[in-house]
Protein backbone atom coordinates (compact mmCIF):
# COMPACT_ATOMS: atom_id res chain seq x y z
CA UNK A 1 0.00 0.00 0.00
CA UNK A 2 2.97 2.38 0.50
CA UNK A 3 4.70 1.47 -2.77
CA UNK A 4 5.55 4.71 -4.57
CA UNK A 5 3.75 6.92 -2.03
CA UNK A 6 5.43 10.26 -1.37
CA UNK A 7 5.78 10.84 2.35
CA UNK A 8 7.09 14.11 3.75
CA UNK A 9 8.43 13.39 7.24
CA UNK A 10 8.65 16.57 9.34
CA UNK A 11 10.70 16.13 12.51
CA UNK A 12 10.53 18.57 15.43
CA UNK A 13 12.72 18.79 18.50
CA UNK A 14 12.03 15.85 20.79
CA UNK A 15 14.04 12.95 22.17
CA UNK A 16 11.68 10.71 20.18
CA UNK A 17 13.38 12.03 17.03
CA UNK A 18 15.89 9.19 17.33
CA UNK A 19 13.09 6.77 16.38
CA UNK A 20 12.83 8.45 13.00
CA UNK A 21 15.79 6.40 11.80
CA UNK A 22 13.75 3.24 12.32
CA UNK A 23 10.62 4.80 10.83
CA UNK A 24 12.49 5.99 7.74
CA UNK A 25 14.01 2.55 7.20
CA UNK A 26 10.60 0.88 7.53
CA UNK A 27 8.95 3.30 5.11
CA UNK A 28 11.66 2.87 2.51
CA UNK A 29 11.44 -0.90 2.94
CA UNK A 30 7.70 -0.63 2.17
CA UNK A 31 8.53 1.15 -1.09
CA UNK A 32 7.66 4.70 -0.04
CA UNK A 33 9.57 7.75 -1.28
CA UNK A 34 10.60 9.65 1.84
CA UNK A 35 11.75 13.25 2.02
CA UNK A 36 12.61 14.74 5.39
CA UNK A 37 12.59 18.22 6.85
CA UNK A 38 13.79 19.03 10.36
CA UNK A 39 13.63 21.93 12.76
CA UNK A 40 17.05 23.14 13.91
CA UNK A 41 16.42 21.73 17.40
CA UNK A 42 15.60 18.31 15.94
CA UNK A 43 19.14 18.05 14.58
CA UNK A 44 20.46 17.98 18.15
CA UNK A 45 18.74 14.61 18.68
CA UNK A 46 19.58 12.90 15.38
CA UNK A 47 21.82 14.05 12.54
CA UNK A 48 20.51 14.94 9.08
CA UNK A 49 23.30 12.76 7.63
CA UNK A 50 21.83 9.64 9.26
CA UNK A 51 18.36 10.32 7.89
CA UNK A 52 19.67 11.35 4.48
CA UNK A 53 21.53 8.06 4.20
CA UNK A 54 18.46 6.04 5.17
CA UNK A 55 15.99 7.97 3.02
CA UNK A 56 18.34 8.36 0.05
CA UNK A 57 17.25 11.99 -0.19
CA UNK A 58 18.71 15.25 1.03
CA UNK A 59 17.44 16.31 4.44
CA UNK A 60 16.55 19.98 4.65
CA UNK A 61 16.58 22.13 7.78
CA UNK A 62 16.44 25.71 6.51
CA UNK A 63 14.23 27.68 4.14
CA UNK A 64 15.87 28.07 0.73
CA UNK A 65 15.15 30.35 -2.21
CA UNK A 66 17.70 28.79 -4.57
CA UNK A 67 16.59 25.19 -4.91
CA UNK A 68 12.96 24.46 -5.83
CA UNK A 69 13.20 20.99 -4.20
CA UNK A 70 13.71 22.63 -0.82
CA UNK A 71 11.15 25.38 -1.37
CA UNK A 72 8.43 25.03 1.25
CA UNK A 73 5.65 25.48 -1.30
CA UNK A 74 7.01 22.79 -3.58
CA UNK A 75 7.49 20.39 -0.66
CA UNK A 76 3.91 20.91 0.47
CA UNK A 77 2.64 20.19 -3.05
CA UNK A 78 4.98 17.25 -3.68
CA UNK A 79 3.82 15.02 -0.82
CA UNK A 80 0.94 12.55 -0.73
CA UNK A 81 0.94 12.99 3.03
CA UNK A 82 2.83 15.18 5.50
CA UNK A 83 3.67 13.41 8.75
CA UNK A 84 4.85 15.54 11.67
CA UNK A 85 6.67 13.09 13.95
CA UNK A 86 7.63 13.60 16.63
CA UNK A 87 5.33 16.59 17.10
CA UNK A 88 6.53 18.44 20.18
CA UNK A 89 4.19 20.53 22.34
CA UNK A 90 5.86 23.64 20.96
CA UNK A 91 5.39 22.63 17.32
CA UNK A 92 1.78 21.57 17.93
CA UNK A 93 1.05 24.97 19.50
CA UNK A 94 2.60 26.78 16.55
CA UNK A 95 0.72 24.66 14.02
CA UNK A 96 -2.55 25.32 15.82
CA UNK A 97 -2.06 29.08 15.75
CA UNK A 98 -0.43 29.53 12.33
CA UNK A 99 3.10 30.45 13.40
CA UNK A 100 5.70 30.31 10.65
CA UNK A 101 9.24 30.66 12.01
CA UNK A 102 10.97 27.61 10.53
CA UNK A 103 10.92 25.37 7.48
CA UNK A 104 8.62 22.78 9.04
CA UNK A 105 5.93 25.35 9.86
CA UNK A 106 6.24 27.13 6.51
CA UNK A 107 5.83 23.82 4.71
CA UNK A 108 2.90 22.86 6.94
CA UNK A 109 1.07 26.08 6.09
CA UNK A 110 1.75 25.44 2.40
CA UNK A 111 0.78 21.77 2.38
CA UNK A 112 -2.02 20.78 0.01
CA UNK A 113 -1.86 17.13 1.12
CA UNK A 114 -3.36 15.45 4.21
CA UNK A 115 -1.46 16.15 7.43
CA UNK A 116 -0.90 13.63 10.24
CA UNK A 117 0.88 14.27 13.53
CA UNK A 118 2.35 12.05 16.24
CA UNK A 119 2.77 13.95 19.54
CA UNK A 120 5.66 13.29 21.91
CA UNK A 121 6.07 14.94 25.29
CA UNK A 122 6.01 14.34 29.03
CA UNK A 123 2.73 13.36 30.69
CA UNK A 124 2.03 16.66 32.43
CA UNK A 125 2.61 18.56 29.19
CA UNK A 126 0.34 16.13 27.35
CA UNK A 127 -2.51 16.56 29.82
CA UNK A 128 -2.20 20.37 30.09
CA UNK A 129 -5.39 22.03 28.90
CA UNK A 130 -3.43 24.26 26.51
CA UNK A 131 -1.92 21.24 24.75
CA UNK A 132 -5.29 19.49 24.56
CA UNK A 133 -6.89 22.64 23.15
CA UNK A 134 -4.17 22.90 20.51
CA UNK A 135 -4.62 19.26 19.53
CA UNK A 136 -8.36 19.75 19.24
CA UNK A 137 -7.71 22.71 16.95
CA UNK A 138 -5.57 20.56 14.66
CA UNK A 139 -8.33 17.93 14.62
CA UNK A 140 -10.79 20.68 13.70
CA UNK A 141 -8.51 21.52 10.76
CA UNK A 142 -9.06 17.96 9.58
CA UNK A 143 -5.63 16.61 10.50
CA UNK A 144 -5.18 13.03 11.74
CA UNK A 145 -3.76 12.31 15.19
CA UNK A 146 -1.67 9.28 16.07
CA UNK A 147 -2.51 8.94 19.78
CA UNK A 148 0.28 8.91 22.32
CA UNK A 149 1.12 5.71 24.13
CA UNK A 150 1.70 5.04 27.80
CA UNK A 151 5.17 4.00 28.89
CA UNK A 152 8.53 5.14 30.17
CA UNK A 153 9.20 8.79 29.36
CA UNK A 154 12.45 10.70 28.92
CA UNK A 155 11.92 12.33 32.32
CA UNK A 156 12.14 8.89 33.92
CA UNK A 157 8.44 8.94 34.79
CA UNK A 158 5.91 6.40 33.52
CA UNK A 159 2.76 7.71 31.90
CA UNK A 160 1.07 9.03 28.76
CA UNK A 161 2.91 11.16 26.23
CA UNK A 162 5.16 8.60 24.59
CA UNK A 163 5.12 8.86 20.80
CA UNK A 164 3.49 6.06 18.80
CA UNK A 165 6.05 3.42 17.84
CA UNK A 166 7.41 3.39 14.26
CA UNK A 167 5.57 0.15 13.45
CA UNK A 168 2.29 1.73 14.58
CA UNK A 169 2.96 4.78 12.41
CA UNK A 170 3.61 2.59 9.37
CA UNK A 171 0.36 0.69 9.97
CA UNK A 172 -1.47 4.01 10.29
CA UNK A 173 -0.08 5.25 6.96
CA UNK A 174 -1.00 1.98 5.27
CA UNK A 175 -4.57 2.37 6.48
CA UNK A 176 -4.61 6.03 5.43
CA UNK A 177 -3.78 5.12 1.85
CA UNK A 178 -6.06 2.08 1.89
CA UNK A 179 -8.98 4.33 2.83
CA UNK A 180 -8.16 6.94 0.22
CA UNK A 181 -7.30 4.66 -2.67
CA UNK A 182 -8.87 5.64 -5.97
CA UNK A 183 -9.16 2.07 -7.22
CA UNK A 184 -12.73 1.31 -8.33
CA UNK A 185 -14.73 -0.67 -5.83
CA UNK A 186 -18.16 -2.20 -5.86
CA UNK A 187 -20.63 0.33 -4.52
CA UNK A 188 -22.33 -0.64 -1.26
CA UNK A 189 -25.82 0.42 -0.31
CA UNK A 190 -27.45 1.27 2.98
CA UNK A 191 -27.52 4.22 5.38
CA UNK A 192 -23.84 3.74 6.28
CA UNK A 193 -22.59 3.24 2.70
CA UNK A 194 -19.18 4.81 2.27
CA UNK A 195 -18.51 4.82 6.02
CA UNK A 196 -15.72 2.92 7.77
CA UNK A 197 -16.55 1.28 11.10
CA UNK A 198 -14.17 -0.06 13.73
CA UNK A 199 -15.48 -2.64 16.21
CA UNK A 200 -13.68 -4.40 19.05
CA UNK A 201 -15.03 -7.68 20.42
CA UNK A 202 -14.18 -10.62 22.62
CA UNK A 203 -11.86 -10.97 25.60
CA UNK A 204 -8.17 -10.32 25.97
CA UNK A 205 -5.66 -12.72 27.55
CA UNK A 206 -2.83 -11.43 29.73
CA UNK A 207 0.10 -13.82 30.12
CA UNK A 208 1.41 -14.87 33.53
CA UNK A 209 3.98 -17.27 32.09
CA UNK A 210 4.22 -19.27 28.82
CA UNK A 211 1.42 -21.59 30.05
CA UNK A 212 -0.98 -19.52 32.17
CA UNK A 213 -2.92 -16.32 31.64
CA UNK A 214 -5.73 -14.26 33.13
CA UNK A 215 -8.82 -13.42 31.09
CA UNK A 216 -12.61 -13.00 31.33
CA UNK A 217 -15.80 -14.74 30.23
CA UNK A 218 -16.52 -12.73 27.06
CA UNK A 219 -17.34 -14.80 23.98
CA UNK A 220 -17.38 -11.93 21.48
CA UNK A 221 -20.97 -12.71 20.35
CA UNK A 222 -22.28 -9.19 20.90
CA UNK A 223 -19.38 -7.44 19.19
CA UNK A 224 -19.48 -9.79 16.20
CA UNK A 225 -23.22 -9.20 15.86
CA UNK A 226 -22.63 -5.44 15.86
CA UNK A 227 -19.88 -5.74 13.23
CA UNK A 228 -22.22 -7.73 10.98
CA UNK A 229 -25.11 -5.30 11.53
CA UNK A 230 -22.87 -2.35 10.60
CA UNK A 231 -21.80 -4.18 7.45
CA UNK A 232 -25.46 -4.92 6.63
CA UNK A 233 -26.05 -1.16 6.88
CA UNK A 234 -23.40 -0.57 4.21
CA UNK A 235 -20.30 0.19 6.30
CA UNK A 236 -16.84 -1.22 5.64
CA UNK A 237 -16.06 -2.88 8.97
CA UNK A 238 -12.77 -3.65 10.70
CA UNK A 239 -13.31 -6.10 13.58
CA UNK A 240 -10.54 -6.22 16.19
CA UNK A 241 -11.27 -9.60 17.74
CA UNK A 242 -9.77 -11.09 20.89
CA UNK A 243 -9.15 -14.83 21.33
CA UNK A 244 -12.46 -16.65 20.94
CA UNK A 245 -13.80 -19.71 19.13
CA UNK A 246 -16.29 -17.50 17.29
CA UNK A 247 -15.71 -15.75 13.96
CA UNK A 248 -17.61 -14.07 11.14
CA UNK A 249 -17.73 -14.87 7.44
CA UNK A 250 -19.57 -11.66 6.51
CA UNK A 251 -18.08 -10.24 3.31
CA UNK A 252 -18.24 -6.71 4.68
CA UNK A 253 -16.19 -7.47 7.80
CA UNK A 254 -12.40 -7.74 7.94
CA UNK A 255 -11.15 -9.42 11.12
CA UNK A 256 -7.96 -8.30 12.86
CA UNK A 257 -7.09 -10.98 15.45
CA UNK A 258 -5.40 -9.90 18.69
CA UNK A 259 -4.49 -11.53 22.01
CA UNK A 260 -3.65 -9.07 24.79
CA UNK A 261 -4.98 -5.68 25.84
CA UNK A 262 -1.78 -4.14 24.50
CA UNK A 263 -2.39 -5.83 21.13
CA UNK A 264 -5.96 -4.54 21.06
CA UNK A 265 -4.82 -1.04 22.01
CA UNK A 266 -2.27 -0.93 19.18
CA UNK A 267 -4.74 -2.27 16.61
CA UNK A 268 -7.51 0.14 17.61
CA UNK A 269 -5.18 3.14 17.71
CA UNK A 270 -3.87 2.29 14.24
CA UNK A 271 -7.36 1.88 12.77
CA UNK A 272 -9.42 4.53 14.54
CA UNK A 273 -8.24 7.69 12.69
CA UNK A 274 -9.79 6.33 9.47
CA UNK A 275 -13.04 5.23 11.11
CA UNK A 276 -16.31 7.15 10.99
CA UNK A 277 -17.99 4.87 13.55
CA UNK A 278 -16.18 3.20 16.45
CA UNK A 279 -17.87 0.63 18.69
CA UNK A 280 -15.75 -0.70 21.54
CA UNK A 281 -17.63 -3.84 22.60
CA UNK A 282 -14.62 -5.90 23.73
CA UNK A 283 -14.13 -6.96 27.34
CA UNK A 284 -10.61 -5.61 27.69
CA UNK A 285 -8.60 -6.54 30.77
CA UNK A 286 -8.23 -3.61 33.15
CA UNK A 287 -5.11 -5.16 34.68
CA UNK A 288 -2.29 -7.44 33.53
CA UNK A 289 0.61 -9.13 35.34
CA UNK A 290 3.34 -6.60 36.01
CA UNK A 291 5.98 -9.24 35.32
CA UNK A 292 5.62 -12.14 32.88
CA UNK A 293 7.78 -15.17 33.62
CA UNK A 294 9.73 -16.53 30.64
CA UNK A 295 9.37 -20.07 32.02
CA UNK A 296 6.50 -21.94 33.60
CA UNK A 297 6.13 -21.02 37.25
CA UNK A 298 6.40 -24.19 39.33
CA UNK A 299 3.92 -24.84 42.10
CA UNK A 300 5.38 -24.23 45.54
CA UNK A 301 4.28 -25.09 49.05
CA UNK A 302 2.69 -21.76 49.82
CA UNK A 303 0.50 -19.33 47.93
CA UNK A 304 1.54 -17.03 45.14
CA UNK A 305 1.15 -13.25 44.98
CA UNK A 306 0.45 -11.88 41.50
CA UNK A 307 1.31 -8.21 41.07
CA UNK A 308 -0.91 -6.47 38.52
CA UNK A 309 -0.58 -3.19 36.64
CA UNK A 310 -3.17 -1.19 34.73
CA UNK A 311 -3.58 -1.70 31.00
CA UNK A 312 -4.17 1.09 28.48
CA UNK A 313 -7.68 2.54 28.70
CA UNK A 314 -8.55 2.18 25.01
CA UNK A 315 -11.94 3.86 25.24
CA UNK A 316 -10.59 6.88 27.12
CA UNK A 317 -7.72 7.24 24.66
CA UNK A 318 -10.07 7.23 21.68
CA UNK A 319 -12.51 9.56 23.44
CA UNK A 320 -9.76 12.05 24.23
CA UNK A 321 -8.74 12.11 20.57
CA UNK A 322 -12.15 11.85 18.90
CA UNK A 323 -12.69 14.00 15.82
CA UNK A 324 -15.97 15.97 15.69
CA UNK A 325 -17.40 13.86 12.86
CA UNK A 326 -16.65 10.50 14.51
CA UNK A 327 -19.28 8.54 16.48
CA UNK A 328 -17.80 6.66 19.45
CA UNK A 329 -19.79 3.96 21.26
CA UNK A 330 -18.79 2.19 24.45
CA UNK A 331 -20.21 -0.61 26.60
CA UNK A 332 -20.77 -0.45 30.33
CA UNK A 333 -21.11 -3.92 31.88
CA UNK A 334 -22.29 -3.39 35.45
CA UNK A 335 -23.36 -5.36 38.52
CA UNK A 336 -24.43 -2.41 40.72
CA UNK A 337 -25.27 1.31 40.34
CA UNK A 338 -25.77 0.49 36.69
CA UNK A 339 -27.34 3.70 35.37
CA UNK A 340 -25.05 5.98 37.38
CA UNK A 341 -21.90 4.17 36.23
CA UNK A 342 -23.02 4.08 32.59
CA UNK A 343 -23.73 7.82 32.50
CA UNK A 344 -20.41 8.50 34.19
CA UNK A 345 -18.61 6.54 31.45
CA UNK A 346 -20.57 8.39 28.75
CA UNK A 347 -19.49 11.71 30.20
CA UNK A 348 -15.92 11.03 31.29
CA UNK A 349 -14.84 9.13 28.17
CA UNK A 350 -16.40 11.56 25.69
CA UNK A 351 -18.75 8.99 24.17
CA UNK A 352 -21.64 9.62 21.83
CA UNK A 353 -23.48 6.50 22.97
CA UNK A 354 -23.05 4.05 25.84
CA UNK A 355 -24.68 0.63 26.01
CA UNK A 356 -25.56 -0.42 29.56
CA UNK A 357 -25.42 -4.18 30.03
CA UNK A 358 -26.47 -5.36 33.51
CA UNK A 359 -25.40 -8.78 34.72
CA UNK A 360 -28.40 -8.64 37.08
CA UNK A 361 -30.74 -9.24 34.11
CA UNK A 362 -31.44 -12.94 33.39
CA UNK A 363 -30.43 -13.93 29.86
CA UNK A 364 -28.04 -10.99 29.48
CA UNK A 365 -24.25 -10.74 29.60
CA UNK A 366 -21.55 -13.25 28.72
CA UNK A 367 -22.11 -16.37 26.59
CA UNK A 368 -25.87 -15.91 26.15
CA UNK A 369 -27.48 -15.70 22.70
CA UNK A 370 -29.75 -12.98 24.07
CA UNK A 371 -29.11 -9.62 25.68
CA UNK A 372 -31.00 -6.87 27.45
CA UNK A 373 -29.49 -3.39 27.28
CA UNK A 374 -30.26 0.29 27.78
CA UNK A 375 -28.87 2.92 25.43
CA UNK A 376 -27.83 6.39 26.63
CA UNK A 377 -26.70 8.99 24.08
CA UNK A 378 -24.98 12.34 24.50
CA UNK A 379 -28.21 14.21 23.74
CA UNK A 380 -29.88 12.85 26.89
CA UNK A 381 -31.95 10.18 25.17
CA UNK A 382 -32.45 6.93 27.09
CA UNK A 383 -33.76 3.79 25.36
CA UNK A 384 -34.46 0.58 27.32
CA UNK A 385 -34.59 -2.47 25.07
CA UNK A 386 -36.34 -5.74 25.99
CA UNK A 387 -34.58 -9.10 26.20
CA UNK A 388 -33.96 -10.20 22.60
CA UNK A 389 -31.38 -11.89 20.42
CA UNK A 390 -27.96 -10.27 20.24
CA UNK A 391 -28.50 -9.80 16.50
CA UNK A 392 -31.66 -7.78 17.22
CA UNK A 393 -29.83 -5.76 19.88
CA UNK A 394 -27.04 -5.10 17.38
CA UNK A 395 -29.53 -3.73 14.86
CA UNK A 396 -30.99 -1.40 17.50
CA UNK A 397 -27.50 -0.13 18.35
CA UNK A 398 -26.74 0.47 14.67
CA UNK A 399 -30.06 2.35 14.29
CA UNK A 400 -29.02 4.57 17.20
CA UNK A 401 -25.65 5.19 15.53
CA UNK A 402 -27.38 6.11 12.26
CA UNK A 403 -29.57 8.55 14.18
CA UNK A 404 -26.47 10.17 15.73
CA UNK A 405 -24.78 10.36 12.31
CA UNK A 406 -27.71 12.36 10.97
CA UNK A 407 -28.22 14.51 14.06
Amino acid sequence: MLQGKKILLAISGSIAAYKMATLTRLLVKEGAVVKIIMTPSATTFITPLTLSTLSKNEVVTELSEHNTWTNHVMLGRWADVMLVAPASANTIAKMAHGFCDNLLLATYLSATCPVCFAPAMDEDMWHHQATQANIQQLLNYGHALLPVEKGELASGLFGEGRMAEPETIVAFLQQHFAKNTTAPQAASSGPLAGKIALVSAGPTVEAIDPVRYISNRSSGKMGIAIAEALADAGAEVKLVLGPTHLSTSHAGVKTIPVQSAADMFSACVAEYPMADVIVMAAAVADYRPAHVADRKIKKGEGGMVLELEKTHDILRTLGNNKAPEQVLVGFSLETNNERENALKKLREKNLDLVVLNSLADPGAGFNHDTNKVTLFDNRGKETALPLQSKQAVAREIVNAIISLQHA
Side-chain angles (χ1 to χ4, degrees):
M1 192 54 68
L2 297 183
Q3 183 68 41
K5 299 300 183 184
K6 296 175 287 187
I7 298 174
L8 179 60
L9 177 57
I11 305 173
S12 68
S14 164
I15 183 61
Y18 82 90
K19 296 183 179 180
M20 295 304 96
T22 300
L23 177 61
T24 301
R25 181 179 58 80
L26 292 174
L27 291 173
V28 171
K29 185 178 180 180
E30 290 290 323
V33 181
V34 182
K35 291 184 179 181
I36 298 174
I37 55 179
M38 305 175 70
T39 63
S41 60
T43 64
T44 64
F45 294 100
I46 186 170
T47 67
L49 177 59
T50 298
L51 296 171
S52 175
T53 302
L54 293 170
S55 67
K56 301 179 176 62
N57 279 309
E58 179 185 359
V59 174
V60 188
T61 61
E62 300 289 345
L63 286 163
S64 172
E65 298 178 355
H66 306 294
N67 187 329
T68 56
W69 190 90
T70 62
N71 180 277
H72 60 283
V73 175
M74 297 305 296
L75 280 169
R77 290 177 175 269
W78 168 83
D80 292 319
V81 66
M82 180 177 183
L83 170 64
V84 184
S88 66
N90 184 49
T91 291
I92 288 172
K94 290 182 176 181
M95 290 169 64
H97 295 282
F99 281 47
C100 187
D101 60 3
N102 59 42
L103 173 64
L104 186 156
L105 296 167
T107 305
Y108 161 69
L109 291 175
S110 302
T112 58
C113 60
V115 176
C116 315
F117 64 106
M121 63 196 74
D122 210 71
E123 183 173 41
D124 292 332
M125 297 173 69
W126 169 250
H127 286 297
H128 195 284
Q129 60 186 9
T131 301
Q132 291 301 310
N134 290 333
I135 288 172
Q136 187 58 55
Q137 184 61 60
L138 295 185
L139 293 175
N140 293 341
Y141 291 158
H143 304 332
L145 167 68
L146 283 94
V148 298
E149 298 181 0
K150 188 174 184 179
E152 186 177 355
L153 305 171
S155 63
L157 300 175
F158 186 93
E160 291 183 313
R162 186 183 178 95
M163 190 188 73
E165 292 300 318
E167 293 79 6
T168 301
I169 296 175
V170 171
F172 169 86
L173 291 172
Q174 289 171 330
Q175 291 299 321
H176 165 80
F177 287 113
K179 178 182 178 181
N180 293 285
T181 181
T182 57
Q185 298 178 348
S188 59
S189 60
L192 295 179
K195 301 293 186 181
I196 294 178
L198 171 64
V199 180
S200 69
T204 64
V205 296
E206 311 303 324
I208 298 173
D209 62 21
V211 177
R212 305 176 183 88
Y213 60 82
I214 56 176
S215 187
N216 56 62
R217 300 179 187 276
S218 175
S219 66
K221 288 180 181 179
M222 191 70 252
I224 292 172
I226 292 170
E228 293 177 341
L230 286 165
D232 287 341
E236 176 190 339
V237 183
K238 305 289 181 65
L239 173 62
V240 180
L241 184 61
T244 174
H245 67 284
L246 300 178
S247 62
T248 177
S249 58
H250 197 298
V253 180
K254 176 186 176 183
T255 300
I256 303 171
V258 297
Q259 293 288 317
S260 68
D263 296 336
M264 188 166 282
F265 176 85
S266 296
C268 290
V269 163
E271 298 288 343
Y272 109 94
M274 287 72 68
D276 302 290
V277 174
I278 305 100
V279 182
M280 295 289 101
V284 185
D286 293 324
Y287 295 90
R288 65 188 174 202
H291 307 286
V292 179
D294 58 2
R295 297 181 180 182
K296 178 183 176 182
I297 300 172
K298 302 301 290 182
K299 181 169 64 175
E301 292 297 325
M304 183 178 77
V305 175
L306 187 63
E307 181 184 357
L308 302 178
E309 63 182 9
K310 281 188 176 182
T311 59
H312 291 294
D313 190 328
I314 301 175
L315 195 57
R316 185 181 296 276
T317 298
L318 301 190
N320 287 344
N321 298 289
K322 181 166 67 75
E325 67 277 7
Q326 289 179 309
V327 173
L328 178 60
V329 181
F331 272 67
S332 186
L333 180 64
E334 303 295 341
T335 58
N336 59 289
N337 299 325
E338 291 96 340
R339 188 176 187 276
E340 177 185 343
N341 289 334
L343 290 173
K344 181 180 179 182
K345 179 174 283 191
L346 176 74
R347 182 176 61 254
E348 292 186 351
K349 300 195 178 182
N350 193 26
L351 306 182
D352 297 287
L353 180 71
V354 66
V355 181
L356 170 60
N357 203 170
S358 174
L359 285 181
D361 295 323
F366 294 139
N367 293 305
H368 292 288
D369 292 325
T370 55
N371 208 355
K372 182 180 179 182
V373 304
T374 302
L375 311 182
F376 301 90
D377 70 23
N378 59 2
R379 300 172 297 181
K381 183 178 179 181
E382 178 178 340
T383 306
L385 301 178
L387 183 69
Q388 54 191 325
S389 72
K390 287 187 174 177
Q391 286 72 24
V393 172
R395 289 192 291 270
E396 294 282 3
I397 293 171
V398 170
N399 287 337
I401 290 170
I402 293 168
S403 176
L404 288 168
Q405 281 258 310
H406 293 92

